[in-house]
Amino acid sequence: MMKQIALLALCGLALTGSAMAQDERVIDQSKLYVSELDACEAIERRGAEAWMESDFISLSFSGGLQGTEYQCHFVDVKAVSKRSLIFVSAVCELPGEIYPDTLAIAAYDDKTIQVVSSYETAMAAAGKVDPSAHSADGMLFTRCDNLSETYFD
């Protein structure tokens, strides 16, 4: 019986250790992240023109969220839980519209982050935006590791 209890305790420690290992992912706040996989290559080839020629959103912790007609300026960035979770307050702009937003950002995998907007979530719940165009899980952004120059700030 004691051997079974000890084995169960060891299994519990192993499960706890693997859950903690997942929480150790760090979001690299010095990198650029993009909503489309091919955007990193487009930025490397065409620089700032890539934003005008393609329909993607970029995220940098120094410049916020940037799209063709959309911007969110990060006002405050708070790391939570060893930097695998980040809380951001932002001021966002669309043509003729400005609004406050808060974002929850989490490490999705080693190279991808998940961004959930409280504003978008509230607008979808209120029926103000097309629910099929908005996911309660937010958007995924892939880190650009191939950029030879900094195209954001």
Side-chain angles (χ1 to χ4, degrees), residues 19-20 22-27 78-87 107:
M20 287 175 65
Q22 285 180 337
D23 192 43
E24 291 177 8
R25 288 189 180 124
V26 175
I27 298 171
K78 300 268 189 215
V80 181
S81 171
K82 295 185 183 177
R83 296 179 48 157
S84 64
L85 296 171
I86 297 174
F87 178 81

Side-chain angles (χ1 to χ4, degrees), residues 25-132:
R25 288 189 180 124
V26 175
I27 298 171
D28 188 344
Q29 293 186 34
S30 70
K31 297 287 187 174
L32 180 72
Y33 293 83
V34 292
S35 62
E36 300 297 326
L37 293 175
D38 59 347
C40 293
E41 184 180 319
I43 294 168
E44 179 65 20
R45 282 186 287 119
R46 297 190 305 270
E49 290 178 18
W51 276 270
M52 298 309 212
E53 297 171 1
S54 303
D55 188 24
F56 67 91
I57 297 171
S58 65
L59 180 151
S60 73
F61 287 89
S62 60
L65 290 165
Q66 305 290 325
T68 306
E69 294 187 351
Y70 168 76
Q71 298 178 35
C72 272
H73 307 281
F74 290 0
V75 176
D76 193 23
V77 177
K78 300 268 189 215
V80 181
S81 171
K82 295 185 183 177
R83 296 179 48 157
S84 64
L85 296 171
I86 297 174
F87 178 81
V88 176
S89 58
V91 176
C92 301
E93 299 176 80
L94 286 166
E97 183 179 351
I98 187 169
Y99 58 92
D101 200 354
T102 54
L103 307 169
I105 301 174
Y108 187 79
D109 61 31
D110 291 336
K111 201 175 169 174
T112 310
I113 58 174
Q114 178 182 17
V115 179
V116 179
S117 159
S118 63
Y119 178 84
E120 290 292 326
T121 302
M123 292 294 106
K128 301 284 185 184
V129 295
D130 179 9
S132 64

